[in-house]
Each structure stands twice: as structure tokens, then as C-alpha cells.
Amino acid sequence: MRSIWNGAISFGLVSIPIKLVNATESHAISFRQIHTEDNGRIRYRKVCELEEREVGQSEIGKAYEDADGTIIPITDEDLSHLPIPTARTIEIVAFVPADRIDPLQMGSAYYLAAGGAPAAKPYALLREAFRRSDKVAIAKFALRGRERLGMLRVVGEAIVMHGLLWPDEVRTPEGVAPDTDVTIRDKELDLADALMDTLGEVDLDDLHDEYREALEEVIAAKASGEAPPEAPAPAAGGQVLDLMAALENSVRAARESRGAPAAGGEAEVRPLPRGRTSPKETGGKKSTSTTKRTAAAKKPAPARKSTSKATPGTKKTTAAKSTTAKSTTAKSTAAKSTARTGATGNPAKSTAATKKTTTATTAKATLAKKTPSRKRSA
């Protein structure tokens, strides 16, 4: 690679001879201006205004035009005597962490090649110092008629320098951000995160200039007399009215393009149900129904006992059934009274009512037993 500048790196009292080589190149396709009627080239000719003739590159020099139009010639020898140390030296002024450099300041990149065998050891020493400190160097240098700011770092086994803009050359982003208040919901952030995760990472080596490739196809078709390839139909666009729907569709499309299932994962957002089922009521009503079922289950038991103890005779059996029914009624009444007690919370009244009912039932049962005996005696 051809060097564009020769000088040295000044590292304290250490001086490292280096050559500056362009680290980047452009693959853009350039066009010529032509006369459309006959395809004749349109050229820019350098003409001297005083002599009105075209001059060659060897006759062209530099000059500064003053405010009043006065021309002040400046030669390369004049520039070589600039009273600054960076005229032919890349002077390192500080070492800082890499995240201190704003990417907005970064410009063209240059490789710094060691200038001969004597520069090999100090070059390698500076390179290893970069690696151990995990920092970058801030330097000042002069190139193409002006002093510039640079950042030195290690790439592979070489030292590279990025041209930096001076801080006052970077504009502030005033009036760029939206000046209206915007509310971002958590669900929207979750979907944005899911979209970022779905897109994932990419190997920059896999990316290429598709525009340049398409342009080469058009040029090749025109050169061979063929029709240029048809342009694909533009994607249907429109104003995004629902940001959530746009994010969901983006996540789904990204997953499908990568062969992943479209549904599932964090990106799926489901609407909440509009109504909720109220819980079953618990309390006094449930206790009352339970008490009634318990009382109903206990009703048949006394009837079996009374029937098994009954003696032969139709009237006595009838009396026993009557006594059993009344006794069952009394117990049912007592159970209902107990249920009411649970509802009203007054156990004293319920107990008194139960005792009266039981006494009356016992008296009737005794009278029923005595009546058949008198009839048999007569």
C-alpha cells in the first residue's frame, strides 16, 4: 500500500518513525458527465484567468485570498516551517478509555506502518502497551494543511489511527428530538425488546452493498444490449396507527424469517378477560343449608327404632307411628331452631323453645300409650 504521509509517533521521549496508509477504500461506482446529444465527455479544465489558457498540475500552487481579494501565495516550504510540533509528528497527548470517544467525532482511518527496521521494537512496545492498558491514545497531527485530532488503537498486529473531529465541530442535537410528551407503555417496551432479541446479532462480514451489485447488473445489461432487470414492487406502506400491532407483526415476521415459530415466547400479548367470575359466597347461608341437610338425614332413624319396638295390634301400631311422627317433628323443629340460632346468634331463646317443644311432645306420647290400654280393659 502506498503511504500518503511520512513522520513519527512521539511517545514521551520515544520517537517511532511511521508511514501513514489509508485503511479504507471506496467501492462506489462513479459516473462521468456527458453531453446527452452525442455522449461527449464534459470535463472541468483548469484555466488561468489572466492568461486565459489551460495549465497543468505542475503549474498549480496554493494561495490564501484575503478579505479584500489580495492573493497571498503559500508554498510547501512555508508549510514545512509551521511553528507547531505536529507538522511531521503524531504527538500522543493522553491515554483514555475507549468509551470516552464519541462515535460522532470519528472520521477517516489510517494504518500506521513502522518506518524501517529500527522502528520495529518501539512500534511493538507501543502496541503491547495499548493491549495491556485496554485504552486508546489521543494524538494531534498535521495533515493536508491543517492540524487534526486522532485516536490510536490496536487492530490485529497493527496500530490504526482514526481522524477525529474537534469537539467544537460536532453540532448539538437541538431541535432534533420530538418536542412533544410521549408515554411509552411497558408492553410496548417488552415487544421492542422481543424484536431486538429476535433479530439478534449479525456478522458484519456477511453484509454487502446490494445497491452496488444491482447497479452493476444494470450496467452489464446495458453494455450487452439487453433490457435492464425489472425493479421489485415497493413494499406496501402506510401510516402506523397501532404501534402494538406493528411491533407484534414485526416480531412475528422476524421469527418466521429465521425459521422460528411465530407464536409463543415473550412477544405474545393476549387481552385480559373483560369480566371475572365472583367467588362463591360463604357464611351463614351455607351453614343453614348444611344444617337442614343434616336434619333431613336424621329423620328416618327414630322411625325405625319405634317400629322395631312396637307390639302386635293395629291400634298400638298406629299409636306408635303417631308417636314416632310427632317425635320426629319435634327433632326437626329443634334442628330448625338450631339453624335459626346460627343465623340470629341468640342461643338462649332457641334452647328454651326446644325444651318446651320436647316437653309437649313427651306428654302427648304418654297419653297416646295410655289410651289403648284402657280400651283393652273395657
Side-chain angles (χ1 to χ4, degrees), residues 205-271:
D205 293 335
D206 296 336
L207 301 179
H208 56 278
D209 188 352
E210 297 181 2
Y211 180 86
R212 179 174 59 86
E213 293 177 354
L215 189 57
E216 289 174 349
E217 292 181 6
V218 172
I219 294 173
K222 293 282 288 184
S224 60
E226 300 176 358
E230 292 290 336
Q239 186 178 4
V240 178
L241 300 179
D242 189 346
L243 181 59
M244 289 289 291
L247 288 170
E248 289 176 352
N249 293 335
S250 299
V251 172
R252 188 179 302 108
R255 284 178 172 165
E256 290 176 354
S257 66
R258 292 177 177 268
E266 299 83 3
E268 185 177 2
V269 178
R270 297 180 181 178

Side-chain angles (χ1 to χ4, degrees), residues 288-304 328 331-336 339:
T288 304
S289 61
T290 305
T291 306
K292 289 182 179 180
R293 287 197 299 269
T294 305
K298 291 181 179 180
K299 286 181 181 180
R304 293 192 195 98
T328 304
K331 290 184 179 181
S332 176
T333 303
K336 290 180 179 180

Side-chain angles (χ1 to χ4, degrees), residues 159 304 311:
I159 298 175
R304 293 192 195 98
T311 56

Side-chain angles (χ1 to χ4, degrees), residues 259-308:
E266 299 83 3
E268 185 177 2
V269 178
R270 297 180 181 178
L272 294 174
R274 295 182 178 179
R276 295 183 178 180
T277 306
S278 59
K280 294 183 179 180
E281 297 182 358
T282 57
K285 292 184 178 179
K286 188 172 182 180
S287 301
T288 304
S289 61
T290 305
T291 306
K292 289 182 179 180
R293 287 197 299 269
T294 305
K298 291 181 179 180
K299 286 181 181 180
R304 293 192 195 98
K305 290 181 181 179
S306 299
T307 304
S308 61

Side-chain angles (χ1 to χ4, degrees), residues 174-210:
E174 294 180 359
V176 177
D179 56 356
T180 57
D181 294 334
V182 179
T183 302
I184 304 297
R185 296 182 294 172
D186 290 340
K187 288 184 178 179
E188 294 170 340
L189 280 176
D190 293 341
L191 279 173
D193 291 341
L195 179 57
M196 293 170 65
D197 293 339
T198 304
L199 293 177
E201 299 181 357
V202 66
D203 187 355
L204 294 180
D205 293 335
D206 296 336
L207 301 179
H208 56 278
D209 188 352
E210 297 181 2

